[in-house]
Amino acid sequence: MLLIPCPWCGPRDEIEFRCGGQSHIQRPEPFDAVSDEAWADYLFTRINPKGVSYERWLHVFGCRQWFNVARDTRTHEIHAVYRMGEPKPDLRGVE
Amino acid sequence: MSGRRLPGGGRIDRNRPLNFTFEGRPYRGYVGDTLASALLAAGVRVVGRSFKYHRPRGLLAAGVEEANALVQVGEGARAEVNLRATEVELHEGLTARAVNCWPSARFDVGAVNNLFGRLLPAGFYYKTFMWPDWRWFEPVIRRAAGLGRPSILPDPDRYETRHAHCDLLVVGSGPAGLAAALAASRRGERVMLVEQDPLPGGSLLWRPAQIDGRSGSDWAERAAAEIAAAPDALVLTRTTAIGYFDHNALALLERVAGAAGSPGPDHRPRQRLWSVRARRVVLAAGALERPLVFPGNDRPGVMLASAVSEYAARWAARAGDEAVVFTNNDSAYAAAHALLDTGGRVAAVVDSRPAPPARRTASLQARGVRTLLGASIVATHGRPALTGVTIRDAEGHDHRVAADVLAMSGGWNPTVHLFSQSGGALVWDGEQALFRPGRSAQAEVSVGAAAGEFGLSTAIEQGWRAGGGEGAPPLADAADERWTIGPLWRVPARGKAFVDFQNDVTADDIALSARENFVSVEHLKRYTTLGMAADQGKTSNVNALAIMAELTGRPIADVGTTRFRPPFTPATFGAIGGRARGELFQPLRRLPAHDRHVQAGAAFEEYGGWLRPAHYPGAGESAHAAEQREALAVRRAVGLFDGSPLGKIDVVGADAAEFLDRIYANTLSTLKVGRARYGLMLNEQGAVIDDGVTVRLAADHFLVGTTGGGADRIAAWLEEWLQCEWPDLDVLVAPVTTAWAVLTLSGPKARDVLDAAGVDMAIGEEDFPHMTFRECRVAGVPARISRVSFTGEVSFEVSVAADRACELWDRLRLAGAPFGLAPVGIEAWMLLRMEMGYLHLGADTDGATTPDDIGWGRVLKRRRDFVGRRSLTRPELLRKDRLQFVGVEAVDSTVPVPVGSHLRSPGLPSGSEGYVTSSGLSPTLGRGVALAMVRAGRSRYGEELLVITGEGRGRRVRVTVPGVRGPGGEPLDG
Ligand SMILES: [Zn+2]
């Protein structure tokens, strides 16, 4: 069970959280200029990295805030947490 | 039956004898005994039957690794199965029987499998029972292979879950673990020391040792007491660390009150499952001895050498009178000395090494014991238990020697289970012939025997350092002796040589697996079932993979181990479930006016996590009759329905209208203050995920209504879009569902009842029309009223603060009595909406239903984007032959068509063209009404379809507009 450092509440057990999957996905716009392929890509295509995964988590049984987590899928080590809207942290050297 | 209890010694209380029965026979033991030690002391040699061949088996070990002595303890509701007799603490009146034996361990019908053993090789089940269908054979095989009979009665005991945090968690209270916990507790750290045994000390409980000038067990007792007395330390005995998970999360199983099979004596729970988060972990779980693999090595009387020593020292129980020791390493020599020290005879020590250390052999020769070097045991004799062995000496000559106990040692396996679970990598130590912890993956360190370090001084020092100890560690009086081994993985001789005792896997099975190319350890495991029994191969895995390495000519390190999985020892479902059982398994929410529903005679059922009235049957009234009566009351007079679970979400802020325009498939921003509008929400795939009526309380304040099931889900959905996609919008979302109680009056007399109850505003149709909203007082209670209708009748949805629900209920019932007001349950409510052809999300729709499928294609005319908008023009969603929401009416009878019935045009030979989604008997019309999803349904009104599945098979229905109509085709709600 992961220990996730919520940027608002500090380290808490994984059972308090819900994983929302890959983060930093751009919603294509405007809707009437988006191709079927680009839309399908947005809906369904996800990376499945062996290594650092940038994903969003919700502290659902806590502050109810969404935030980003950089988690290594091999070790479950959490390299960084950062708020929604912030850019990916520079993790050169660990990726 | 020879008494084998030694006259003195042992950690048993001879002043407190205990009576117990095993296999129906009475025995005596003492406080401090395990079931295993008491049986051994009583001379019981056969303690069970093996799983596949039903061979008689005796005690192999003294601890958790015991593979043979699986017992069922206790009777009735407290019967526990598959316990290791070595872990069952003796108590007065204990009843135990061997599992896997019928009718008894001594005489077992299933032993016939042994005679036909040649026919039951590895993979036998896979090869033989695949055709025609495993399920034909399974019941018979399961009965023959069962491991005990668990109680089918409810468990009468309580179980608990507890969470804890600590600086240091130490697993194992042997010398290394005690040193670690002692060091950390002296530094004032929050320490948890976990020991699966009732007593702290580990090997110090039976191995001769001197630490800081005291006997090892004295030192252990004092050290544990000191740790327990430290302000922030906790010593948990009878507690097993069963799992090591991510980020230093460990699961501990504590046996709190009542020995296995005994009544829970007091207020305490029987077991407690701890979920611990530790800053650092010290694994000091010791090591388990390996058996040797030779023909007949499973005969009762063949035991691990360390177990022979432990039984003698700890429980004053001598394993036999005439012993032979068989070893490939130095450690078993101690067992020979222990047997001699306790008055037994040692006929021979058989060491497979041609030249073991001379001091080892000399010490025994000095006591008159014959040592045979470069020799091995090639057969065992005796029925049902050991009477002798055949030794093959270095020259290849066989000698038969009488013996009633054979103490064997094939070397040692550090207990690396938790280390491996933590993600750490094992390394092969060729010198000691064992896998030990290599690189750690978490904040953890293994010490002592668990790290492959068998010297007492070194173990203590490692533990001390791991605990952060400053200064000199506790001092062991004797210097560590070097320990050597010459691996012998299997004795090359004919006969059944067991590797996995519990699952009856032999060396020949492994050879067969290799011949058939199941050479990976994971394949070997599944093909032979090796290591898949309740002991998870604690004594067998390393022997098995080493044999596989020999057979395939690979180094052991390359063969590797299978994964170690939690739990380390079996855990009860009771402990895993904890308090979450019965009503607490998934606690149901109760309506604010629950008590009033009870008084009104409601029959409750669960709907979306709420306990709600299904209907209110009168005396002698059936559920169906009640539902029909209640529905008719709404059509003819007035009904009172509790709709409190309907989701309510406050959406507030300058951008609230813009936000809802993006979220809803239809426009909400044009809604005027004080008015209500039905809306649809989609997901990004374009599927309808919720619907409901939203009212505008102010320019910047909406109250979003959702389905009952959507209350939490949609609130989270709105938050996710706000926080992740549109953080720039000035909007706050607050779920307020449970803050309000909602009581709905519906029916031609609804207005009269509301009027009679007293309302401080005009409620005539002109003053307060359909789809509007007002704040007011009803019978003096501050209220909100929405004019929305789920039944087609005039309705007033009255919301009051949840704590005034009962008051409002009473007032409305009182006011309604003269008008024939009836409480209405969900079933009638659903029937009423079905008559009207109103969609019920989740009943009439599924996860792929689009707005157009339910007649809302007009949302595509919106020029703006909203969630799911782009998906609606995907080719798949524009197909003309999609399932569409329609009504269906039976043309052949008044009986309703069952929900789920599939439909098809009579002209089509096969396939389904849709299915019935809602159905019921309309009390107004006296016939069935139904809704359905039908392929291109809206272009097929009037067409007849056949019911092709279920009870209604062969019946005919007609596709209609959703909702029934009056005789002149007019809607029922006028
Ligand atoms: Zn938080």
Side-chain angles (χ1 to χ4, degrees), chain A residues 4-10 12 16-17 58-67:
Chain A
I4 299 171
C6 170
W8 310 94
C9 309
R12 300 296 180 97
E16 294 183 13
F17 297 85
L58 169 66
H59 194 184
V60 57
F61 298 113
C63 62
R64 296 168 33 108
Q65 295 299 302
W66 284 92
F67 58 96

Side-chain angles (χ1 to χ4, degrees), chain A residues 1-3 13 18 27 31-32 34-36 39 42-44 56 64-66 76-78 84, chain B residues 245-247 249 275 277 684-685 720-721 723-725 735 863-867 869-871 875:
Chain A
M1 183 163 57
L2 306 183
L3 187 66
D13 276 347
R18 182 163 78 76
R27 188 171 190 261
F31 75 93
D32 46 6
V34 179
S35 68
D36 281 349
W39 188 250
Y42 158 71
L43 286 182
F44 304 120
R56 68 188 192 199
R64 296 168 33 108
Q65 295 299 302
W66 284 92
H76 288 316
E77 187 179 348
I78 293 173
M84 296 309 303
Chain B
F245 306 98
D246 292 310
H247 296 182
S275 172
R277 184 78 67 175
E684 280 283 65
Q685 285 77 33
E720 183 172 359
W721 281 98
Q723 290 183 32
C724 301
E725 199 62 37
R863 292 310 310 153
R864 62 162 303 144
D865 198 2
F866 53 85
V867 175
R869 173 69 173 86
R870 177 59 186 82
S871 284

Side-chain angles (χ1 to χ4, degrees), chain B residues 763-830:
Chain B
I763 55 170
E765 190 60 41
E766 269 93 84
D767 307 301
F768 190 15
H770 191 53
M771 298 308 274
T772 60
F773 169 91
R774 298 276 190 280
E775 296 195 53
C776 60
R777 279 172 180 273
V778 175
V781 182
R784 292 168 162 183
I785 306 182
S786 291
R787 284 288 329 275
V788 294
S789 176
F790 198 61
T791 63
E793 302 296 335
V794 169
S795 298
F796 296 86
E797 213 178 82
V798 185
S799 300
V800 297
D803 61 352
R804 305 196 74 170
C806 292
E807 189 179 344
L808 181 67
W809 174 271
D810 292 341
R811 296 297 198 115
L812 293 178
R813 290 221 47 192
L814 197 63
F819 300 97
L821 178 139
V824 177
I826 292 240
E827 297 304 324
W829 205 247
M830 284 296 150

Side-chain angles (χ1 to χ4, degrees), chain B residues 831 833-834 844 895-900 916-921 928-931:
Chain B
L831 197 54
R833 69 94 196 167
M834 220 184 297
D844 299 311
V895 178
V897 181
V899 172
V916 175
T917 55
S918 299
S919 180
L921 180 70
V929 293
L931 300 168

Side-chain angles (χ1 to χ4, degrees), chain B residues 216-543:
Chain B
S217 56
D218 271 2
W219 177 83
E221 198 176 323
R222 284 166 173 268
E226 182 187 330
I227 297 161
D232 287 323
L234 185 61
V235 177
L236 293 171
T237 53
R238 294 188 174 92
T239 304
T240 309
I242 57 171
Y244 196 141
F245 306 98
D246 292 310
H247 296 182
N248 269 8
L250 285 92
L252 318 176
L253 184 65
E254 181 186 10
R255 295 170 291 283
V256 182
S262 72
D266 48 33
H267 60 284
R268 292 175 300 165
R270 177 170 287 271
Q271 296 182 347
R272 184 179 286 134
L273 189 70
W274 291 73
S275 172
V276 180
R277 184 78 67 175
R279 206 178 295 281
R280 291 176 294 129
V281 173
V282 168
L283 297 176
L288 301 175
E289 195 167 27
R290 287 195 295 259
L292 283 163
V293 180
F294 56 94
N297 64 344
D298 67 327
R299 200 172 302 280
V302 182
M303 298 174 71
L304 294 172
S306 59
V308 169
S309 301
E310 186 169 358
Y311 280 116
R314 181 161 176 194
W315 293 287
R318 197 172 62 223
D321 299 323
E322 185 80 43
V324 169
V325 175
F326 182 22
T327 187
N328 65 358
N329 69 87
D330 295 354
S331 70
Y333 285 77
H337 285 291
L339 282 159
L340 292 169
D341 294 344
T342 52
R345 293 184 301 278
V346 178
V349 169
V350 180
D351 195 321
S352 62
R353 299 171 293 178
R359 62 192 155 82
R360 304 281 188 195
T361 48
S363 70
L364 282 174
Q365 283 156 1
R367 301 182 75 173
V369 175
R370 188 156 65 119
T371 54
L372 292 101
L373 307 184
S376 56
I377 288 175
V378 294
T380 63
H381 314 284
R383 263 172 213 282
L386 192 73
T387 55
V389 300
T390 298
I391 302 169
R392 184 165 294 167
D393 65 24
E395 286 76 43
H397 302 300
D398 289 358
H399 312 263
R400 184 154 170 168
V401 175
D404 60 358
V405 61
L406 173 59
M408 62 176 167
S409 179
W412 291 83
N413 293 331
T415 309
V416 295
H417 301 66
L418 292 175
F419 171 80
S420 177
Q421 289 173 26
S422 78
L426 297 172
V427 293
W428 176 249
D429 177 338
E431 194 184 337
Q432 299 194 99
L434 51 79
F435 281 100
R436 61 177 167 77
R439 178 188 47 77
S440 288
Q442 302 197 32
E444 158 278 329
V445 58
S446 295
V447 295
E453 182 49 66
F454 297 99
L456 180 60
S457 295
T458 314
I460 292 173
E461 175 159 2
Q462 281 184 343
W464 184 257
R465 299 288 166 238
E470 288 135 21
L475 185 65
D477 291 6
D480 290 349
E481 286 194 13
R482 233 180 97 70
W483 173 83
T484 62
I485 182 170
L488 170 67
W489 298 114
R490 62 186 302 203
V491 171
R494 288 179 59 85
K496 273 204 176 86
F498 285 86
V499 180
D500 183 333
F501 292 83
Q502 204 167 92
N503 260 358
D504 268 356
V505 180
T506 65
D508 287 344
D509 290 329
I510 296 171
L512 177 67
S513 183
R515 282 203 302 280
E516 302 198 344
N517 204 30
F518 293 101
V519 293
S520 130
V521 280
E522 297 290 354
H523 289 156
L524 166 68
K525 168 176 170 174
R526 279 144 189 97
Y527 193 61
T528 63
T529 72
L530 184 133
M532 293 174 75
D535 67 348
Q536 300 212 359
K538 287 188 178 65
T539 51
S540 62
N541 282 343
V542 175
N543 279 342

